[in-house]
Amino acid sequence: MASGLLLNAYLAIIARNLSPAEYGYFGAFWSLTLVAGFGFFLPIEQETARLLQTPGRPLGVVRAVLATAATMVVAQIAVLAISWPVLMRTFGGHSVTVVAFGVICLASGAQFIVRGALIGMDRMGRHALIMVVDAALRVAFATLVALVVAEPNSPEFAWTLAAALLLAHVPQLLALLPRRNRIGSLPAPGSTNLTARDIGSAVVPLLLGSLCAQALLNGPPVLVPALAQTDADATRAGQFVAAYTLTRVPLFLVVPLQTALLPLLTGLLHDGDRRALRRVIGKITAGLLTLA
């Protein structure tokens, strides 16, 4: 929840320091980063967390998901290269923003592997700390841009997001790779070795639903600035993006809970206690309805 509040502070700082038109371009960038991140890599996070907490878990989970994520990043960069003219228009003609988007595609793979691995290893404290650090870095970098740059445009703020993602997650990913790493609580391993193909088979069905959900949630802030023809249109597009961002505030508070619940639900499912599983899901549902 703290990271969600910081993220909204981050967006507020940017909104206060950009013209409506430039905020529209940043909003399109922000929405596309959510599609590239959550849309593509949330299934990787969920599968990593689930596999690490499965009784008789397979060996080599982190290596397999890393190979799968790398393939997905290559596909994203290829699509980016093909879509460069469209992205330039969507981002207000700022080629630097397109480059920042490519960097975020790279960083998102590391981000969601780290999050899934820490949840699967039952390191929820470290997971929460990284999310807060990521959000705090975004706020710090955006504040720095607002104070130092006389008249900032959307590209400067786009790079605050890219820098925060890289600094918060890439070092953590490197820390997960050595064999000597024995952090967290894991079930006893089995004898099977997991491959990237196994991960791909599990992720593909989840990927379609994840991409469709993110396209539904983030499509309008991308399309509206891209369709703007005049300066007045660009201003109205920025106002629309600002309003649309406010309506999505609850998502940044609730969505991170999805993967965090997977180890608990996986354990109950494999224990065969369906009554306890239904009880937990009922409590979660009642809590979300009360919050809503």
Side-chain angles (χ1 to χ4, degrees), residues 84-110:
W84 187 282
V86 177
L87 291 175
M88 282 282 289
R89 179 179 176 81
T90 303
F91 298 157
H94 299 301
S95 59
V96 178
T97 306
V98 183
V99 176
F101 180 63
V103 172
I104 287 174
C105 290
L106 292 170
S108 294

Side-chain angles (χ1 to χ4, degrees), residues 225-252:
L227 294 173
Q229 299 293 326
T230 65
D231 290 343
D233 289 343
T235 297
R236 285 192 291 271
Q239 294 167 342
F240 168 80
V241 171
Y244 197 86
T245 299
L246 286 176
T247 66
R248 293 184 296 179
V249 166
L251 291 175
F252 297 111

Side-chain angles (χ1 to χ4, degrees), residues 120-134:
M121 293 173 176
D122 197 25
R123 290 297 302 270
M124 296 305 300
R126 186 172 170 184
H127 173 270
L129 177 62
I130 291 172
M131 291 188 66
V132 171
V133 167
D134 177 16

Side-chain angles (χ1 to χ4, degrees), residues 32-42 68-84 87 98 101-110 112 207 211:
L32 278 177
T33 63
L34 295 177
V35 175
F38 279 97
F40 274 86
F41 295 109
L42 185 61
T68 304
T71 302
M72 295 168 70
V73 168
V74 170
Q76 284 186 329
I77 298 300
V79 172
L80 184 151
I82 296 170
S83 307
W84 187 282
L87 291 175
V98 183
F101 180 63
V103 172
I104 287 174
C105 290
L106 292 170
S108 294
F112 285 89
L207 187 63
L211 281 173

Side-chain angles (χ1 to χ4, degrees), residues 3-30:
S3 66
L5 294 174
L6 284 171
L7 284 178
N8 285 288
Y10 170 70
L11 294 174
I13 292 169
I14 295 172
R16 289 290 182 180
N17 286 276
L18 290 178
S19 66
E22 282 294 319
Y23 186 71
Y25 299 138
F26 177 84
F29 167 81
W30 171 259

